[in-house]
């Protein structure tokens, strides 16, 4: 008799639902396409540039990232010498999505009115492309364009290729005295408009109040000898200035209220 091996019924493999890609710890889906990988690399290079910029930024130039975008920045430049002495100009820097590719120029726009042949008087935009006709990501970085931004305020002559503000360029040649007056007016305006902060700006300036004024006077009076300066002394001065400053503020509020009441009575 021949023994027959019992045949086995093949088991059916249950159908599986395709798994969705696992999310990273940050909650984002992994990068799958080549385009996504390239964009992620560009973004990473921006963070590296900014880290480098914090240590190598031109003196007097400060840049802080926006809270809304990796490629938006708010900046300010303090000018300490030259024709624009004491000017404080605020600006924004916008990097296009393809930044870190060839000919992907950063865009810099001043928030203040800047009278300069390299700045468009209507839009406030700095002419970057004239200075760098071919933007090379291997040679040009954020620090490059910020160095150029500072440089334009110390230039004394302007070539025919400077076309952002032709009127200012021509005036600097034909009537230097009037050109200087326009610059001086621009410098004064920059101080007056300093506390006008754009919505969402990460660099904000506020007006000094009475507490600040009192503190400055106390520091000038009490901190003359560096050998006597201590942390405790400075904290005591701050407390005193705060108390005296708040008292002055209240007195000023009462005075303003009285003046308002008097003006109402006079009107009636």
């Amino acid at each position: 008799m021949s023994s027959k091996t019992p045949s086995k019924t093949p088991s059916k493999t249950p159908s599986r639902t395709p798994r969705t890609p696992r999310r990273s710890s940050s909650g984002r889906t992994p990068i799958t396409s080549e385009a996504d990988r390239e964009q992620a690399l560009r973004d990473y290079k921006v963070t590296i540039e900014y880290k480098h910029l914090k240590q190598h930024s031109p003196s007097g130039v400060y840049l802080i990232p926006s809270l809304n975008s990796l490629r938006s920045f708010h900046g300010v430049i303090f000018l300490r010498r030259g024709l624009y002495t004491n000017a404080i100009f605020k600006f924004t820097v916008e990097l296009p999505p393809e930044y870190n590719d060839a000919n992907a120029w950063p865009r810099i726009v001043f928030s203040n009115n800047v009278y300069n042949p390299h700045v468009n008087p209507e839009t406030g935009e700095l002419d970057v492309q004239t200075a760098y006709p071919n933007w090379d990501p291997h040679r040009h970085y954020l620090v490059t364009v910020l160095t150029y931004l500072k440089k334009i305020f110390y230039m004394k002559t302007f070539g025919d290729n400077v076309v952002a503000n032709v009127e200012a360029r021509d005036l600097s040649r034909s009537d230097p005295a009037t050109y200087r007056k326009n610059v001086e007016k621009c410098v004064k305006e920059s101080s007056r408009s300093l506390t006008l902060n754009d919505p969402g700006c990460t660099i904000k300036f506020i007006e000094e109040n009475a507490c600040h004024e009192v503190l400055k006077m106390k520091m000038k009076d009490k901190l003359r000898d560096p050998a006597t300066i201590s942390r405790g002394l400075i904290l005591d001065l701050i407390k005193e200035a705060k108390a005296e400053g708040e008292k002055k503020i209240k007195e000023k509020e009462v005075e303003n209220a009285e003046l308002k009441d008097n003006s109402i009575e006079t009107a009636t």
Side-chain angles (χ1 to χ4, degrees):
M1 295 178 62
S2 60
S3 60
K4 294 183 178 180
T5 304
S7 61
K8 294 182 179 180
T9 304
S11 60
K12 293 183 179 180
T13 305
S15 59
R16 295 182 179 180
T17 304
R19 292 187 300 176
T20 57
R22 290 185 179 180
R23 291 180 177 270
S24 63
S25 58
S26 62
R28 297 177 181 175
T29 54
I31 298 171
T32 55
S33 70
E34 185 65 26
D36 288 341
R37 281 193 288 269
E38 289 179 359
Q39 190 60 50
L41 182 59
R42 294 190 191 100
D43 293 343
Y44 176 71
K45 288 181 178 179
V46 171
T47 62
I48 295 299
E49 277 196 49
Y50 183 70
K51 184 178 180 181
H52 173 83
L53 183 66
K54 289 195 292 185
Q55 297 178 345
H56 299 88
S57 179
S59 62
V61 181
Y62 302 90
L63 199 69
I64 298 179
S66 166
L67 298 176
N68 302 319
S69 172
L70 175 68
R71 296 173 173 273
S72 298
F73 301 85
H74 297 277
V76 62
I77 178 170
F78 298 86
L79 296 160
R80 304 185 179 98
R81 58 184 178 83
L83 198 58
Y84 291 86
T85 298
N86 296 327
I88 305 174
F89 296 124
K90 293 184 287 186
F91 59 91
T92 59
V93 179
E94 296 288 341
L95 306 180
E98 63 275 11
Y99 181 77
N100 275 315
D101 286 354
N103 293 334
W105 293 270
R107 184 171 183 258
I108 295 181
V109 179
F110 287 96
S111 304
N112 318 64
N113 172 39
V114 176
Y115 185 79
N116 187 284
H118 291 277
V119 179
N120 187 301
E122 296 180 0
T123 64
E125 184 171 357
L126 174 65
D127 184 8
V128 175
Q129 293 193 32
T130 297
Y132 304 98
N134 300 302
W135 185 267
D136 183 352
H138 300 292
R139 297 173 53 233
H140 303 141
Y141 309 97
L142 274 173
V143 68
T144 308
V145 75
L146 292 182
T147 301
Y148 171 65
L149 176 146
K150 181 178 179 180
K151 183 180 178 181
I152 69 167
F153 295 108
Y154 297 100
M155 293 180 178
K156 297 181 179 179
T157 58
F158 306 96
D160 292 339
N161 64 326
V162 179
V163 294
N165 189 338
V166 176
E167 182 182 350
R169 181 200 68 187
D170 293 344
L171 191 63
S172 70
R173 300 171 180 175
S174 61
D175 192 349
T178 302
Y179 174 78
R180 283 193 296 270
K181 287 182 180 179
N182 290 344
V183 170
E184 291 170 1
K185 180 181 177 182
C186 163
V187 171
K188 291 179 181 178
E189 287 179 0
S190 76
S191 299
R192 287 196 294 265
S193 63
L194 188 60
T195 55
L196 299 176
N197 302 299
D198 294 332
C201 181
T202 49
I203 297 181
K204 294 185 178 181
F205 294 86
I206 59 174
E207 294 182 3
E208 287 187 346
N209 59 30
C211 298
H212 299 148
E213 295 175 1
V214 173
L215 181 59
K216 284 196 297 185
M217 296 301 296
K218 286 184 173 293
M219 291 178 70
K220 287 181 180 179
D221 183 48
K222 301 289 182 66
L223 304 181
R224 295 179 180 179
D225 184 4
T228 63
I229 297 175
S230 66
R231 182 174 180 272
L233 175 60
I234 294 175
L235 291 176
D236 289 341
L237 292 178
I238 293 173
K239 289 180 181 178
E240 293 175 9
K242 183 179 179 182
E244 293 182 22
E246 289 177 347
K247 183 180 178 181
K248 286 188 175 183
I249 291 172
K250 289 180 180 178
E251 291 174 351
K252 189 67 175 177
E253 289 175 350
V254 172
E255 181 183 345
N256 290 339
E258 291 176 351
L259 290 172
K260 184 177 180 180
D261 291 340
N262 291 336
S263 63
I264 293 174
E265 291 177 2
T266 303
T268 56

